[in-house]
Structures are given as structure tokens and as C-alpha cells.
Amino acid sequence: MEVLGHFNYWVVVVLMMIGFYALIARGNLIKKIVGLNIFQASVFLLFITLGKVTGGSAPIIAEGITVYSNPLPHVLILTAIVVGVATTALGLALVVRIHESYSTIEENEIADMDREP
Amino acid sequence: MIAQFPALQVVIPLLGAPLCIILRRGALPWLIALLVSWAALAMAATLLSQVADGEIISYALGGWLAPLGIEYRIDTLNAFMLLLVAGTSSAVLPFAYKSVAKEIPQDRHYLFYSGFLLMLTGLLGMAITGDAFNVFVFIEISSLSSYAMIAMGRDRRALSAAFTYLVMGTVGATFFLIGVGLIYAVTGTLNMADLAERLPPLYQSRTVLAAFAFISVGILLKLALFPLHLWLPNAYTYAPSVVTAFLAATATKVAIYLLLRFGYTVFGAEFVFNIVPASEVLLTLALAGVIIASFVAIFQSDVKRLLAYSSVAQIGYIILGISYANVTGLTASIVHIFNHAVTKGALFLVMGCVAYAAGACRLESFAGLGKRMPLTMAAFVIAGLSLIGVPLTAGFISKWYLVLGAMEKGWWPVAAVILATSLLAAVYVWRVVEIAYFRDAPADAPPLSDPPLALLVPTWVLTGACVYFGIETSLSLGFAEQAAIQLMGGG
Amino acid sequence: MTPETLMVLTLAVPLAGAAVISLLDRSPNVREAATLLTAVVLFALNIALAADVLAGARPEFILADFIPGAPILLGAEPLGVIFGLVASGLWIVTSVYAIGYMRGKHEAKQTRFYTFFAIALTSTMGVAYSGNLISLFIFYEALSLSTYPLVTHHNNDEARKGGRTYLGVLLTTSIGFFLFGVLWVWHEAGTVAFTPGGVFSGQTDPVLIAALLALFVFGIGKAGVMPFHRWLPAAMVAPTPVSALLHAVAVVKAGVFSILKVTVYIFGVDFLAATPSTGFFLWVAAATILIASIIALRQDNLKRRLAYSTVGQLSYIVLAAMLANSAGIVGGALHIASHAFGKITLFFCAGAIYVAANKTTVSQLRGIGRSMPWTMTAFTIGAISIIGLPPTGGFVSKWYILLGVLQAEQPVMAGVLIVSTLLSAAYLLPVVYTAFFQAPEETGPPTHGEAPRPILLALGASVTLTFLMFFFSQPIVRFASQIVGGI
């Protein structure tokens, strides 16, 4: 029960590892960006999980409700999502430029071309 | 007005960035960046003078009081970092005018200066804020803009360097975010001062341990401690000269500031050094970094890359001082943050001068430069001596305290390693000097001369600072010592 | 002028001189006049300062307070004054000589040469008048770096290699050992001030003292104690005036001067006398003396032979310092002066032969005494002084060192001194014999005459000093014995 009760944390960890694996093991730059996104998304989930208060309602003040979820993590993650989008956009822009100059987006091929002539 | 300086310190550069894009004609973006940077320097100096007597300024951003609102909290260390960042940008921006004109296409200049101001914003923000999540936001502002700035380098390898940095930097920042999330989960606050009070009873909690691990690995990635330095050499080598000079002098240094802030203020020295074996880990990594990076630097054939590896080694020295966990070591680290910033800034500006005149910074293109660019190479020699740590230069002051701290600990081998690796620095600096002064330029080489004054003056300002801060140390050493005592005292 | 002003001026004048000289590239005559003028003014300042110090003044002046508690401090005391007088006095002589030499050889980049020469003299004055250990270290390093452009003056491959050895050995020893020693003293004693009687209290661990002593004796690489002597022969690629003033006087004497200074004012003579480990360093110094003399025997290149002779002679002073008694210290201080006069004469002669006859090896010198009688006479007198026979200055200093050896009851060391005297006769007198008593190789009219006038003038001056030191030894000895509070 203890383990299952924390299932959302398990999801976070599994997603994080998938993202991290893709980031490290894939040579394709686009796939790396995808991995990075999954990795970041897992952290967003972690924060949102923290804000959950059992039995709490959405944090909008209303008559008769005393227990609210914590709104702060949501706000933080909103910011983090924006940052994540910006990172992805910049990463993809770089990949486009790399493709223009190297005609490939495979990491090992770029490394070969970069080697001192 | 002065009461609002903590906010304006960050807001003015932030507003300057879009202004550069709106007023994109001719030299206007450069002028905006320059004025903004000088304004930031003036504000940083004012703030430093306000906290010089040990006072702490607390500023509630937007009127929302801490711990709920974001607090800007300025003690000696913050103010010192603000001065370092704003001072470096103020020194390199005059250099940028001609250097950027040569290295970056005209139609992207406004983007360059806009990105530069964002980078400045991010670094100043990291140094000033007292809120853990706010730190993350500023890390990303500075990182994202620096990825873009590095990608503006002339060589196409700048692109792959920027991409590698983007991936590693984002991983580092995300690790940091995870750590912040975990301490928030156990304490329910993000304010650093508040965290400092709430964490001690939770020292045995595994969540706090994990949070510390994530935060420190994240920061160590950003500050490029060996073996997490892999992004650094390429990024420094292929970035535009101005960006390299600015990044080398400030970006890793502000990350080191974060390590100090989180280690000493948020988690507390007691936790970091007694519960977690941070001292041993940092000592090992720092020593490995100093030795290996110094050796690797000796064998580089591109001088910019040589200096980049030297930076990895120098970061090792700074971390070494932190690992002593005593006031002398901490003073050494903080003063070396400052002195190394000045020294490396000067050296990378010299690289900018060479790149401007000769087009490349490969070792062989230095042949005969001693005669053909005498003023530039003289600056290289002086700043190089400071890098080695020769007396009467800034580098000597840091080495002195670094060795002294090791002796206080009774770590004699560490003291010996510091002195021995100074000799390795002498080897890699002298390799360049010998080629510049003793090897004649190839007969078919195009005629070269010293770059225009617009490049030489900023270079010599920083070079002069290398000597100035080696003799008159009340600014650098005085504030470093005060900051170290404040940190050790838990402030 | 107050002694403080005088002392600061001894640094300011040569530095200002360097600045002026560097601007006078276009008018060599004015430039040389500026060099001479600077040298004369500097010597006058040193004399005035010496008079004050002799009268008991001990001026101190803080240049910069760069590390709290360990400022860059100037301070004059008898030992420093002797060194300052010798270096600045011989600078005048060398300047005269350099004018003849540099013009005679049509050397390139003479402005750079004179500029760095003046900067090197500034550093030397800094060494002589450094008021604490860290200032001594700083000026010591400044001297290494400012002489590097002089050593590599010819800018060719040989100069690059020589320069590399020069700077390599000097930086390795000074950063690796000397600086380490300075830091250790600061850590252990909490002060780096030069204190008569030393900075250590009686209870300090003898092992620590032995380690520190090793750091200083080997770390002060300029003293040329084996195995860290290789930079000195390497430095011989420099033009001869550099070898003469810097590598027979200023640089090498800065090394032994530092060792004396550390012995007297950091360890303290009495403290050191009670330290058993000095015995080991006596042996190291003795070994250096003998080995260097034997190597000198085998050198055919005249300048290299003289360089190895210098290595040996320097260790006389190290040995004298390690005797840790007052006669030894006085002898060491005197030897700084007497060896300077003698060796600079010999180097001047080597340079004179090179300028006039373009000869560099001993075997080429057959019969050269006939065409260059003045030069070779001066060489003979210089050689007598280095061997240590009367009526020259070398006799006086060796006498006091021998006295110190006997006082310390070290009969073996007395033997070493006697053997080394014989050895120095064996490597110097054959030169004299070859020059005067062997027939020249080529018959017919001599192809060259005497060296240029300025060179002969300089030779005359240095020979005179050698004699003066013998005939007027008493005032000098009295002055030197002020270092240890009288004998």
C-alpha cells in the first residue's frame, strides 16, 4: 500500500528515466530534444503532485470550502513550462542551423566532421 | 530612488533587451547595452557600499513580503557578485563595438546586444535573489541567452558547442529544479532565509539529502567542475570573443556563488560538511580537475581552448578553497572568483584582439606576434603572469590564501599540489609566449599590427586590473573576507 | 633627505630611468647618458643611505598593504646596504662597459637591453631593501622575470633554450619551495617580518626547522646550490654585460643574500647554531663547491668556465651562512662584495676578448696576452682574487669564512675550503698561462688590438675595487659585523 500510494512518484521516476535515457543514448539531435522534454515534464509532474492536498478543492475561494490544493506549485510550474518551451524552441532552432551547416543531425557524424582536418 | 536599486538592478537590463530590438538601427543597440551596463555597475557599486559595513538589505519585490513574496536579499557576497558581473560587462562592452562588427553579420547586431543584456539580467538576477525558485528562472534566462550567444560564433562548430551546452545546461537546471521541489515538499517555503531556519530540524530526512544531491549536481554542472565540464571547452572556444570573455569571467562564477549560497546559507555548513561528506567529494573532484585540466591545457593547439581548459583548472582551485570549510579557504575562493574573473577576462579580450587582427587563435598564428602586435602580447604576458600567480598580480593573492588555508587544515599535499600546478600554468602560458616572441612569422604572412584603440583600451583596463588587484587588495580581499565571515557565521 | 626617502628613491630612480631610457630609442647617445646618470644617482643614493644606516638608522617604509599583516615593506639594514652598494656601484662600471661592448658588437635592440637592465636593477634594489620575507620573495621573482628578456636577448633558438632552462629552474624552485617556505613561516610563526634573532621561539620542532631550511636553501635557486644550479650556465647565452653584472653580481648575489637574510633574520644565528640539521646543508654546500670546481676544470668555453666557478663560489656563502656563527655571517657578507669585484673583472675580460678578438674558448687564447696585455693583466688580478690570495678582496672574505669554520669546529669544511682554493687555481691559472706564456697559433702581425676604451676603463675600475677591498678591509668588516651586532 505504501508503495502503491505513491504511484504518482513512480510515474515521475519512470518518466524521468525514460527522458534521461533518450537524452544520453540517442545520437539524433531531435530525439535528444524529445528526451529532454520528457525529462522536464516528469519534473513538472513532481511539482504538481506536491500541490495536491487530499480532499482539497481547486484554489478558488468559495463559500463552504475550507480545504484547498496548494496553488503555488502550479504557478511555479507554469513558469517552468514556459522556460521548457523556450528551451525546446531554441534547441530546435539550433538543430535547424546545424542541419544547414552540416547536412546531418546525427551526433557521431557531426563529431566526425568537427575533428581537426 | 536608491531604495529601489535592488529591483532596478535587474529590471533595467531586462527592459534594455527589448529596447535593443525596437531601436535596432546602427550603433544604437550597442549604445543602449553600454549605458544599461554602466548603470547596472553604478547601482551595484552603490549597493556594495551600503552593505560594506556588514548590513543586509532585504527588498520585497512588488511589495509582497517574504516569505510569501520574492525577496531580494543583499549581503556582502551578493553585492560583491553584482559588482563583478556588472563590472565585467561594463569592461567588455566597449570592446564589443569593433569586435562584434568584425565577427557577427551586421543584421544580427541588435539581436546580439539584446541577448547580451538578457544574459546580464540572468546573471545579476541569480546573484541578487533570495528565492530558490526565482534562482531557477534566472538561471534559465542567462543560460538560454548564452546558448544563443555561443551559437553566433563564426565557426559552424559553435552550433554543436551551443547544442551540447544547451543539453547539459538544461539537465543541470532541471536537476536544480528537482532539488528545489524536494525541499519545498518538506519545508513548504522557497525563501532562502526561511529555508535556512526550517531545514536544520530536518537534517536527517532523506528528502533533504536527495534535495541537496540534486541541487549540488545541478549547480556543479553549471559551474563546470571536473568531470562535469565537458560543455565548457567547445563553448568557450567557438563563441564570439566578447561572449567568451564575459562568460568566462562571470557565468561559472555566479554558479559558484550559488553553490556557496545553497551550501552555507540554505543548507548550512553543519549539514554540508558534517552530515554529508561534501568536503571530501569536493576536494577529490577539485584536485582531479586542477591536475588533469592543467595537463590537458598544455597540449592544446588552439589558444582559446587552452585558456578554456585553464578555466576548468581554475574552477578547481575555487572549489578547493570551499572544500577546506574554513574562513581562510572560503576567503581564498571568493577572492579567486574575483581575481580569476579579471584575469581570464583580460586574457580572452587579448584573444579577441588576436582574432580581430589575425582571424584565428591557433598557436601557429601567434608566431611573431610579439613583434607585430607588441601591446596586445604585452597584455597577454601580464595577464598570463596573473594566471600563473606571480607576485604583484591578482593571481598571487588568491594562491597565497589558498595555500595558507590548506596549511591551516594540515593538508600539506594539497598545498604542494597548488604550487606544483601553478608551474603547469607557467608551462602553458609560456608555450604561447615563446611562440609569440621567438618564432618568426611565416614569410607569406599578411602584415599585422595592434588592433584599434577601441579594442586595446578595454583589454588594458582589465590587464591593469590584474596588477592593481595584486597590490591594492582592500576592495577584493576586504570584501571577500567579510563575505566569508558572514557565510561561516551562518548569515 | 630622510633615510626613508632615500630608500624609496633607490627603487624609484632606476624605475624612472627605465621609463626614460625606453623613450630614447632614436638617440643612442642620450640614452646611454641617461643610463649612466641613473646609475650614478643610484649609487649616490646608496652611499647616503649607507651613511645613515651606519649611524644606526633602520628606516622602514610600507609600499602597499596587500595582505593584511604582511605588507610590501622596504627596510634597510647593514647586509642590504652592502648588497645595494655593490650592485649599484658595479652598475656604473657595467654601464660604461656595456656601451663599449654593445657598440663594439653592433648588438640589436639596445634600447630594450638598457631598459630591462634598469628594471632588473630596480628589482635588485628591492631585494636589497626588502623589509620582510614576502617582499623579499616578490622582488626576487621580479628579478627572475625582468632578467628573462636580457638572457634571451639574441632571440634565437639557443637563447630560447637557455631562457627556458633559466626561467624553468628559477620559477620551479621559487614557487615550488621558496614560496612554500614563506607561507610555512607565516603559518607557523604568524609573521614574516625580519626580526633580529629570528621569528621562532625555542620550542619549534627540529624536523620542521630542517624542512624549512631545505625549502629555503634549495628554493632560493639563485644561490645555485646543486642540483639547482643549471640555470646559471644556461644564462650564459646572454650578452656579456648581462653575464657580468647580473649573473656574477645582482642575480646570484640576490640568491645568497636571501639565504643570509633568512639565516640571520628569520631563523636567527643562535637558533640555527642549535639546530643539528645545518650539518647536512654544510655538506650540500661543500659538495656543490667541489663538484662545480671540478666541472669548471673541464669547460673550454671561457664564460661557462666562469659560470661554474660562480656556482662554486656562491656555495662558499651558503656554507658560511650554515656555519651559523658571526664570523661566518660576516665572511659571507664580505664574500658577496669580494666575489662580485673579482668575478665581474673576469667576465669583463671574457667579453673584451670576444669583442676584440671574437674568441670564446680557452684553447683559442694562446698568446693573446701579447696583443691584449691590459685585459689579460686584469684577468690575472681577478683570478687571484677569486682564488683568494692577497693583496685582493678575495683573501679578506675567505679569511673570515675560514675563521667561521674554525669557530664552528668543522675541520672537514676547512679541508674543503683549502681543496677548493687549489681547484680554483687549477681552473683559472691555466688561462693566464695560455694567454701569456704560450706562443700564438698564427704567426705574423696580430689581427686585433686591445678592447675598446670604455671596456678598459671598466676593467680598471673593477680591478681597483678588488685592491681597495683588501687595503681598506677594516671599515667594511666593521660595517658587516653590525649585521650580527659586532664580533
Side-chain angles (χ1 to χ4, degrees):
Chain A
M1 197 57 216
E2 178 72 2
V3 174
L4 281 180
H6 286 137
F7 76 94
N8 40 0
Y9 291 102
W10 285 110
V11 172
V12 168
V13 171
V14 168
L15 273 180
M16 194 182 282
M17 287 307 117
I18 292 174
F20 213 40
Y21 176 80
L23 188 63
I24 294 168
R26 293 294 139 187
N28 185 303
L29 299 187
I30 298 278
K31 288 182 182 167
K32 272 183 188 295
I33 299 274
V34 172
L36 202 62
N37 266 305
I38 298 175
F39 179 57
Q40 286 185 313
S42 75
V43 181
F44 302 159
L45 284 181
L46 172 74
F47 266 77
I48 292 167
T49 301
L50 297 177
K52 173 69 183 167
V53 176
T54 317
S57 151
I60 302 165
I61 297 181
E63 289 282 327
I65 298 174
T66 47
V67 183
Y68 297 106
S69 284
N70 184 350
L72 191 65
H74 300 130
V75 181
L76 299 181
I77 279 330
L78 219 52
T79 317
I81 289 173
V82 174
V83 170
V85 170
T87 312
T88 311
L90 183 62
L92 290 175
L94 279 176
V95 175
V96 171
R97 290 274 312 277
I98 287 176
H99 189 256
E100 282 170 8
S101 359
Y102 290 86
S103 312
T104 174
I105 53 167
E106 288 298 323
E107 195 179 31
N108 49 354
E109 289 172 22
I110 294 170
D112 284 344
M113 287 190 222
D114 274 352
R115 207 154 290 144
E116 303 290 316
Chain B
M1 175 71 180
I2 288 183
Q4 305 301 325
F5 270 13
L8 291 176
Q9 180 83 75
V10 180
V11 169
I12 288 185
L14 189 62
L15 292 181
L19 204 60
C20 283
I21 296 186
I22 297 169
L23 304 172
R24 62 176 73 175
R25 274 173 199 284
L28 264 182
W30 171 74
L31 200 64
I32 294 168
L34 188 70
L35 292 178
V36 163
S37 166
W38 284 357
L41 178 61
M43 284 187 275
T46 318
L47 288 176
L48 185 61
S49 71
Q50 280 178 340
V51 299
D53 49 1
E55 209 183 315
I56 293 174
I57 300 176
S58 172
Y59 180 90
L61 201 66
W64 297 87
L65 289 178
L68 282 179
I70 292 172
E71 182 195 15
Y72 280 4
R73 197 179 167 81
I74 303 158
D75 63 6
T76 314
L77 183 60
N78 297 84
F80 194 55
M81 293 310 298
L82 292 176
L83 185 78
L84 176 68
V85 173
T88 315
S89 80
S90 301
V92 300
L93 273 171
F95 185 93
Y97 185 65
K98 290 250 169 177
S99 176
V100 168
K102 184 117 176 175
E103 290 181 19
I104 292 170
Q106 175 70 40
D107 60 342
R108 285 195 212 143
H109 282 185
Y110 69 99
L111 289 174
F112 178 90
Y113 290 112
S114 163
F116 193 94
L117 283 182
L118 282 178
M119 202 153 68
L120 182 63
T121 312
L123 293 172
L124 289 172
M126 281 158 81
I128 203 171
T129 185
D131 182 281
F133 188 80
N134 205 218
V135 169
F136 167 75
V137 175
F138 280 121
I139 289 182
E140 285 296 28
I141 291 180
S142 77
S143 304
L144 284 170
S145 45
S146 53
Y147 309 145
M149 305 293 280
I150 291 167
M152 285 190 179
R154 272 190 289 189
D155 198 299
R156 68 175 179 182
R157 279 171 287 190
L159 294 171
S160 48
F163 189 84
T164 314
Y165 186 21
L166 179 133
V167 169
M168 294 187 80
T170 308
V171 170
T174 312
F175 266 45
F176 180 81
L177 188 60
I178 297 171
V180 170
L182 292 178
I183 47 172
Y184 179 69
V186 288
T187 61
T189 181
L190 290 166
N191 181 283
M192 290 186 193
D194 209 22
L195 280 170
E197 282 171 23
R198 296 197 194 188
L199 276 172
L202 300 165
Y203 276 169
Q204 298 304 329
S205 146
R206 256 198 282 173
T207 314
V208 175
L209 278 175
F212 178 70
F214 274 113
I215 288 180
S216 32
V217 171
I219 295 176
L220 292 180
L221 248 171
K222 294 299 296 184
L223 67 79
L225 178 66
F226 178 88
L228 303 173
H229 67 283
L230 296 172
W231 58 268
L232 187 143
N234 275 338
Y236 280 15
T237 311
Y238 301 117
S241 308
V242 181
V243 177
T244 308
F246 184 63
L247 279 183
T250 57
T252 47
K253 308 299 181 298
V254 176
I256 295 170
Y257 155 77
L258 284 182
L259 188 69
L260 290 175
R261 183 57 79 204
F262 274 87
Y264 281 95
T265 308
V266 175
F267 286 94
E270 152 75 15
F271 176 79
V272 174
F273 294 111
N274 293 346
I275 299 177
V276 182
S279 185
E280 289 79 353
V281 174
L282 289 181
L283 175 74
T284 317
L285 294 181
L287 280 181
V290 166
I291 297 170
I292 296 173
S294 299
F295 268 112
V296 174
I298 292 176
F299 298 102
Q300 297 306 313
S301 57
D302 184 297
V303 182
K304 254 178 124 178
R305 182 182 287 269
L306 180 155
L307 292 176
Y309 274 106
S310 145
S311 276
V312 176
Q314 302 289 328
I315 289 164
Y317 285 127
I318 299 173
I319 301 298
L320 199 59
I322 298 175
S323 77
Y324 299 165
N326 59 21
V327 172
T328 313
L330 201 52
T331 307
S333 293
I334 298 172
V335 84
H336 199 47
I337 288 178
F338 182 84
N339 288 342
H340 178 246
V342 171
T343 308
K344 259 304 148 50
L347 283 170
F348 276 120
L349 286 193
V350 170
M351 292 304 114
C353 291
V354 174
Y356 181 87
C361 291
R362 299 192 57 78
L363 254 186
E364 56 263 35
S365 53
F366 274 72
L369 285 196
K371 235 179 266 167
R372 303 191 307 160
M373 299 173 66
L375 288 173
T376 313
M377 286 318 292
F380 182 87
V381 172
I382 293 174
L385 291 177
S386 177
L387 190 62
I388 301 168
V390 168
L392 300 184
T393 61
F396 178 70
I397 307 288
S398 352
K399 291 274 163 72
W400 175 270
Y401 278 91
L402 219 50
V403 177
L404 214 58
M407 286 178 166
E408 272 174 25
K409 276 292 238 189
W411 290 352
W412 298 98
V414 174
V417 167
I418 296 168
L419 293 172
T421 46
S422 302
L423 293 170
L424 293 182
V427 173
Y428 57 70
V429 169
W430 226 253
R431 249 186 102 211
V432 182
V433 170
E434 276 194 353
I435 287 184
Y437 285 92
F438 290 98
R439 194 186 291 176
D440 289 325
D444 56 342
L448 286 184
S449 61
D450 273 318
L453 280 182
L455 297 185
L456 274 183
V457 170
T459 309
W460 270 95
V461 165
L462 280 182
T463 308
C466 291
V467 176
Y468 178 80
F469 289 115
I471 299 170
E472 170 51 52
T473 55
S474 56
L475 176 67
S476 53
L477 194 57
F479 284 117
E481 211 156 19
Q482 191 181 335
I485 292 168
Q486 267 184 1
L487 278 181
M488 290 302 266
Chain C
M1 270 188 280
T2 62
E4 283 80 11
T5 325
L6 285 173
M7 189 167 62
V8 174
L9 280 178
T10 56
L11 266 83
V13 164
L15 198 61
V20 172
I21 291 164
S22 68
L23 298 177
L24 293 173
D25 194 30
R26 278 156 198 278
S27 38
N29 289 331
V30 186
R31 179 188 66 202
E32 263 90 305
T35 302
L36 273 176
L37 182 70
T38 316
V40 170
V41 172
L42 182 63
F43 186 54
L45 287 170
N46 271 294
I47 290 181
L49 184 59
D52 284 337
V53 171
L54 193 60
R58 293 289 181 273
E60 285 201 336
F61 185 85
I62 295 181
L63 280 184
D65 203 358
F66 80 137
I67 291 175
I72 304 179
L73 177 78
L74 294 185
E77 44 72 59
L79 186 59
V81 168
I82 292 180
F83 181 43
L85 275 175
V86 169
S88 62
L90 289 179
W91 188 26
I92 306 179
V93 182
T94 310
S95 300
V96 175
Y97 178 84
I99 294 167
Y101 182 91
M102 300 302 275
R103 294 193 175 184
K105 291 303 294 179
H106 306 289
E107 292 273 2
K109 292 175 295 183
Q110 295 195 15
T111 306
R112 185 182 103 163
F113 175 84
Y114 288 112
T115 308
F116 277 104
F117 220 107
I119 296 177
L121 254 293
T122 312
S123 319
T124 311
M125 290 301 124
V127 171
Y129 298 125
S130 49
N132 60 22
L133 193 54
I134 185 161
S135 319
L136 180 67
F137 174 76
I138 288 171
F139 289 113
Y140 177 98
E141 287 291 52
L143 186 57
S144 305
L145 293 171
S146 58
T147 46
Y148 177 78
L150 294 169
V151 171
T152 56
H153 185 81
H154 291 130
N155 254 38
N156 50 21
D157 255 4
E158 200 193 353
R160 188 174 55 83
K161 250 166 69 189
R164 201 183 263 186
T165 314
Y166 183 75
L167 213 54
V169 173
L170 288 183
L171 278 187
T172 308
T173 50
S174 66
I175 292 181
F177 306 140
F178 190 7
L179 178 59
F180 201 82
V182 175
L183 277 155
W184 202 342
V185 168
W186 170 249
H187 172 67
E188 202 64 39
T191 175
V192 286
F194 286 135
T195 320
V199 296
F200 296 105
S201 54
Q203 299 88 15
T204 316
D205 183 10
V207 178
L208 185 149
I209 296 298
L212 269 178
L213 210 53
L215 287 178
F216 283 118
V217 171
F218 293 117
I220 300 175
K222 289 196 172 92
V225 172
M226 282 185 179
F228 299 110
H229 65 285
R230 290 247 341 261
W231 62 272
L232 188 56
M236 292 302 137
V237 295
T240 305
V242 176
S243 308
L245 183 62
L246 296 176
H247 299 118
V249 183
V251 174
V252 290
K253 295 298 153 46
V256 287
F257 169 79
S258 304
I259 288 187
L260 278 177
K261 199 96 181 184
V262 168
T263 314
V264 179
Y265 295 107
I266 293 295
F267 291 108
V269 176
D270 295 332
F271 179 78
L272 213 52
T275 306
S277 47
T278 47
F280 170 72
F281 297 102
L282 277 180
W283 283 102
V284 172
T288 306
I289 295 176
L290 293 180
I291 296 172
S293 305
I294 291 168
I295 297 176
L297 274 177
R298 303 166 47 88
Q299 300 297 322
D300 192 35
N301 182 305
L302 185 55
K303 271 176 83 178
R304 283 183 76 86
R305 185 179 289 204
L306 295 178
Y308 274 105
S309 155
T310 305
V311 173
Q313 297 286 326
L314 289 176
S315 273
Y316 270 72
I317 303 172
V318 178
L319 189 146
M322 289 303 129
L323 291 171
N325 58 34
S326 35
I329 300 295
V330 172
L334 291 176
H335 205 60
I336 287 185
S338 72
H339 174 252
F341 300 148
K343 196 44 77 55
I344 205 169
T345 310
L346 294 182
F347 271 110
F348 281 169
C349 294
I353 295 165
Y354 181 50
V355 171
N358 210 15
K359 288 174 179 170
T360 54
T361 62
V362 178
S363 45
Q364 291 169 333
L365 298 185
R366 282 190 202 153
I368 203 165
R370 290 173 205 179
S371 49
M372 302 181 73
W374 292 112
T375 305
M376 290 321 292
T377 310
F379 189 93
T380 314
I381 298 165
I384 290 173
S385 179
I386 294 298
I387 297 165
L389 300 174
T392 59
F395 173 74
V396 182
S397 55
K398 283 207 177 169
W399 176 260
Y400 277 93
I401 295 178
L402 200 60
L403 221 58
V405 168
L406 298 176
Q407 229 176 63
E409 292 169 7
Q410 294 279 2
V412 182
M413 292 304 140
V416 168
L417 290 189
I418 291 163
V419 171
S420 94
T421 301
L422 293 176
L423 281 172
S424 49
Y427 61 72
L428 286 176
L429 292 182
V431 182
V432 178
Y433 176 80
T434 313
F436 281 113
F437 301 108
Q438 285 192 342
E441 265 171 10
E442 65 270 21
T443 45
T447 50
H448 60 87
E450 260 295 357
R453 278 286 158 68
I455 292 186
L456 291 182
L457 202 66
L459 275 174
S462 64
V463 165
T464 316
L465 286 171
T466 311
F467 285 130
L468 283 180
M469 174 129 183
F470 179 77
F471 291 109
F472 295 93
S473 62
Q474 276 322 301
I476 309 175
V477 172
R478 228 175 300 128
F479 194 42
S481 42
Q482 273 200 4
I483 304 166
V484 285
I487 297 185

